[in-house]
Structures are given as structure tokens and as C-alpha cells.
Amino acid sequence: MEIQKYVINETAWVELYHQNSPALSQDNPLPALIICPGGSYEHISERESEPLAFAFLAQGYQVFILNYTVMNKGTHHNFLNQNLQEVRAVFELINKHHRTWNIDPQKVFLLGCSAGGHLAASYCTSHPFYQAKGLLLCYPVTSFSLGWPKQHPHFNFPLEDCSIYDSNLAISAHTPPTFIWHTGSDLTVPIANSLVFCEHLAKVQVPFEAHFFEKGPHGLGLANRATAPTERHFVPDVQRWFPWALNWVERHLKK
């Protein structure tokens, strides 16, 4: 395994966690996963970056971690649309280098946690040129009017119309199949964000699988010791989301 960094712009880059086993060949390319970590659009969460990458890497995926533009990188402009272009840039890299990286470009999934979930959902509902095979959302923000952010203004730039960034309203029949999970006791990003997203997916008959857990704070990641900063972030019941997500991805790889 090797890690390669690719600069997208002055405030964004992507890291490829690349399996280069001699057993791999261009005749048997691997699926890929792009991870958009959370961090409230203020920073990039480390707990939702490398631990997730290694978990999927161990299951036979080439993994990309997108370190997208956020506020702590010295930005004072509205970068939310720029973030979408940064996701697209990763897809462009994959399509350009998929043979070298041993990736099937038709089997690329997009995963987002928290604010990264907002980015991932926003990208997949924007009718992009490069669409993900499937969307995985972990306790995502899907709208700025469903309990996150807690205080306004949250961003260090003005948002004149928050509805523009409501991914629920942008869902269409072209939105990819979705796997989504959340906890009912999440006080940072209320579960309503996921419930409303599922409601809109159902309206246009986009296939989805949803798992809602009774207890667990925000930002659980894998909910195990690899991602738990405190004991309350170690939640064995919630750890089930990962094998369930793997099963869901494998089913959709066969479609």
C-alpha cells in the first residue's frame, strides 16, 4: 500500500490510498471510494479520514480522502460551490489514471460524514458529469435549516439564500442509490437531516438503505476504538453500520 497526494488547488488536495499488490491486474480492477470527512466546514476531521480509509482498504477498495476547502485554510469567500468542483476533480483524476491505479471508473462510490455528508449529497444531487455509483452518508448535514448550524452566522462569509444549499430539494431520479445512517441522540446534526433526505429519495423512487440507532453522539466514525476520542464515542451497536454498508456496496457492485 502506498499513499499519493495530488493537489487540486491552493486549499484542496486528495490523498490516494493505493493497493499495489502483485496479485492485482488491469483485468481485475478494484472499486474505489472517495471520502469527504466532516469538520463543520471549519476543518477536516482526522477521525473520519484515515481510519475509514484503512477500513475500506482492507476490504479491497482503492480509497481517496478529499481534503477540501474549509474555513481554517485562510479562506473568507463562499467556497461551497468550489467544493463541488473539488469533488469533480477527484473523479476526473480517477478517469484519467484508472488503468494505472487499477480502478474500475464505473464503480466509484462517494462517502461523506457530517458536513462532508452535505458536500457528498450536494455533489450527487447536482447532476454531475461524473456520477457516483452509490452514495454513503454518515450522520449527514443535508440542509442548513434542519438544526445545523446551531448559530447564525456559522460561516465567515454571508449566505444570502440557504435553500440553495439544501440537498433534499435537489434530489431527483438521477440521484444515485444511497446508504445512510444516523443516531437519534445526535445533538449536533439532528436526525431530521437524514429522515428528510430519505423522504425525498422515496418520493422519486431512488433506492436507499437507512439505519437509525437509538443512542450515540455526533461524529462517531466507525464507533470503535480507532475513531473514538472519548468512551462515549465507543458504541458497539453503531459499529454494525460498517459491515452493513459493505454488504450494500457489494450488492450494488453487481448491478
Side-chain angles (χ1 to χ4, degrees), residues 212-245:
F212 300 120
F213 302 92
E214 179 182 0
K215 294 182 179 180
H218 185 69
L220 285 172
L222 293 169
N224 61 16
R225 290 185 177 87
T227 59
T230 66
E231 196 63 32
R232 70 190 188 100
H233 287 80
F234 180 82
V235 188
D237 284 347
V238 180
Q239 293 172 19
R240 294 177 293 172
W241 82 263
F242 184 72
W244 289 342

Side-chain angles (χ1 to χ4, degrees), residues 21-197:
S21 167
L24 300 177
S25 71
Q26 292 185 1
D27 296 330
N28 186 31
L30 296 176
L33 178 76
I34 303 169
I35 298 174
C36 298
S40 300
Y41 282 117
E42 295 175 331
H43 65 280
I44 298 296
S45 169
E46 293 183 0
R47 295 187 296 104
E48 295 161 350
S49 298
E50 197 166 80
L52 284 172
F54 281 128
F56 279 96
L57 195 74
Q59 300 299 320
Y61 296 82
Q62 307 287 35
V63 183
F64 297 79
I65 299 176
L66 177 58
N67 202 305
Y68 52 93
T69 300
V70 290
M71 287 185 281
N72 77 346
K73 294 181 179 181
T75 57
H76 293 88
H77 65 279
N78 186 338
F79 51 71
L80 295 175
N81 289 327
Q82 176 182 325
N83 289 155
L84 301 178
Q85 297 305 311
E86 292 162 358
V87 177
R88 175 181 169 131
V90 182
F91 277 93
E92 289 175 341
L93 281 170
I94 292 172
N95 276 266
K96 182 178 180 180
H97 300 289
H98 67 92
R99 294 185 186 278
T100 302
W101 294 340
N102 199 55
I103 292 173
D104 186 336
Q106 302 303 315
K107 296 180 178 179
V108 181
F109 292 78
L110 185 61
L111 180 150
C113 302
S114 191
H118 179 261
L119 172 54
S122 297
Y123 177 83
C124 286
T125 57
S126 66
H127 300 275
F129 182 79
Y130 299 105
Q131 182 59 282
K133 176 75 171 176
L135 173 64
L136 295 91
L137 298 176
C138 309
Y139 41 87
V141 173
T142 62
S143 169
F144 296 158
S145 61
L146 291 173
W148 187 95
K150 299 297 183 184
Q151 297 181 353
H152 296 275
H154 171 78
F155 296 95
N156 60 357
F157 52 80
L159 287 179
E160 295 181 359
D161 184 1
C162 287
S163 66
I164 297 173
Y165 308 103
D166 191 325
S167 61
N168 302 302
L169 301 179
I171 289 173
S172 72
H174 300 289
T175 303
T178 300
F179 179 96
I180 189 169
W181 70 273
H182 219 121
T183 62
S185 60
D186 188 331
L187 300 179
T188 303
V189 177
I191 195 173
N193 284 268
S194 289
L195 295 174
V196 173
F197 197 83

